[in-house]
């Protein structure tokens, strides 16, 4: 078990396209996945991409609790169980873009409004070699698009249409509690 250091915006690895994983069963890939799981648990994040821990490989992991999905997308929306996704591909199912607030472990303390496709299909393999083929909408789709963007060297501010919405989360909290 190891908690890995997370690269922050400005580190060149975050702007670099990541490499395909040719041997998903390789011992070192398994070790990286275990360490990324430990790291994600430690920081209580929704998702993590390998380049964020200085490994330029096409590997992401994420989860969407049902409670978060229902807050973002309406009461009946379900989240997504914890998923490891290797060599993911995204297909846009619904071209409509919807705005939503995003944050990223590589930009600690910040959040901004980012347009994302409403509905996508994503495919890839999990850490046990099982094929994954899912459609996702709303917040689930947003998380997958955000994480997979990391594999192409894209950070969420690069997707923002209105940079005036880039905010320190401590300021959002101040506004909410009225201090
Ligand atoms: Ni991120």
């Amino acid at each position: 078990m190891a908690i890995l250091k997370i690269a922050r915006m400005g580190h060149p690895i975050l702007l670099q396209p990541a490499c395909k994983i040719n041997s998903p069963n390789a011992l070192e890939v398994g070790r990286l996945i275990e360490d990324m799981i430990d790291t994600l648990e430690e920081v209580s994040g929704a998702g993590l991409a390998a380049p964020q821990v200085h490994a330029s490989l096409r590997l992401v992991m994420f989860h969407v609790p049902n409670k978060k999905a229902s807050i973002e997308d309406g009461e009946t929306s379900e989240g997504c169980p914890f998923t490891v996704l290797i060599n993911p591909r995204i297909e846009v199912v619904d071209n409509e873009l919807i705005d939503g607030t995003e944050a990223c472990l590589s930009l600690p303390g910040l959040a901004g409004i980012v347009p994302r496709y409403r509905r996508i299909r994503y495919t890839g393999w999990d850490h046990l070699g099982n094929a994954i083929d899912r459609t996702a909408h709303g917040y689930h789709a947003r998380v997958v698009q955000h994480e997979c963007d990391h594999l192409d060297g894209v950070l969420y501010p690069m997707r923002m249409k209105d940079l005036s919405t880039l905010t320190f989360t401590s300021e959002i909290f101040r506004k909410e509690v009225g201090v």
Side-chain angles (χ1 to χ4, degrees):
M1 151 160 186
I3 309 293
L4 303 171
K5 191 176 177 206
I6 295 176
R8 296 195 300 173
M9 183 169 67
H11 193 295
I13 200 159
L14 294 172
L15 297 178
Q16 198 176 300
C19 298
K20 189 178 170 211
I21 296 179
N22 291 318
S23 312
N25 302 324
L27 210 61
E28 58 268 32
V29 174
R31 203 171 299 140
L32 173 64
I33 290 170
E34 275 178 28
D35 289 347
M36 283 176 65
I37 291 172
D38 292 340
T39 306
L40 190 57
E41 270 174 14
E42 171 76 12
V43 297
S44 311
L48 187 63
Q52 290 183 279
V53 292
H54 307 86
S56 198
L57 294 169
R58 301 191 83 79
L59 160 66
V60 299
M61 55 182 61
F62 51 86
H63 67 115
V64 178
N66 285 339
K67 196 178 166 199
K68 178 70 178 164
S70 63
I71 291 169
E72 295 282 334
D73 304 320
E75 249 171 55
T76 55
S77 284
E78 282 185 13
C80 154
F82 181 80
T83 300
V84 171
L85 193 57
I86 296 168
N87 298 331
R89 290 180 72 112
I90 290 181
E91 212 176 283
V92 177
V93 175
D94 182 345
N95 261 324
E96 191 187 346
L97 292 163
I98 43 172
D99 284 336
T101 302
E102 291 185 24
C104 179
L105 296 168
S106 295
L107 288 77
L110 289 169
I113 294 178
V114 186
R116 296 283 184 189
Y117 294 113
R118 183 187 291 280
R119 191 177 287 273
I120 59 165
R121 175 185 175 202
Y122 64 92
T123 55
W125 284 266
D126 73 7
H127 53 307
L128 303 171
N130 301 311
I132 292 178
D133 185 341
R134 293 180 189 154
T135 55
H137 74 279
Y139 188 71
H140 177 187
R142 173 174 299 281
V143 168
V144 175
Q145 288 170 84
H146 175 117
E147 294 311 328
C148 291
D149 259 359
H150 279 298
L151 307 183
D152 296 322
V154 176
L155 298 171
Y156 77 78
M158 296 155 75
R159 297 275 189 207
M160 289 176 67
K161 292 284 176 285
D162 181 359
L163 277 172
S164 73
T165 67
L166 191 62
T167 308
F168 284 105
T169 49
S170 54
E171 293 300 316
I172 300 172
F173 180 70
R174 271 159 58 97
K175 217 165 23 184
E176 277 171 3
V177 297
V179 292

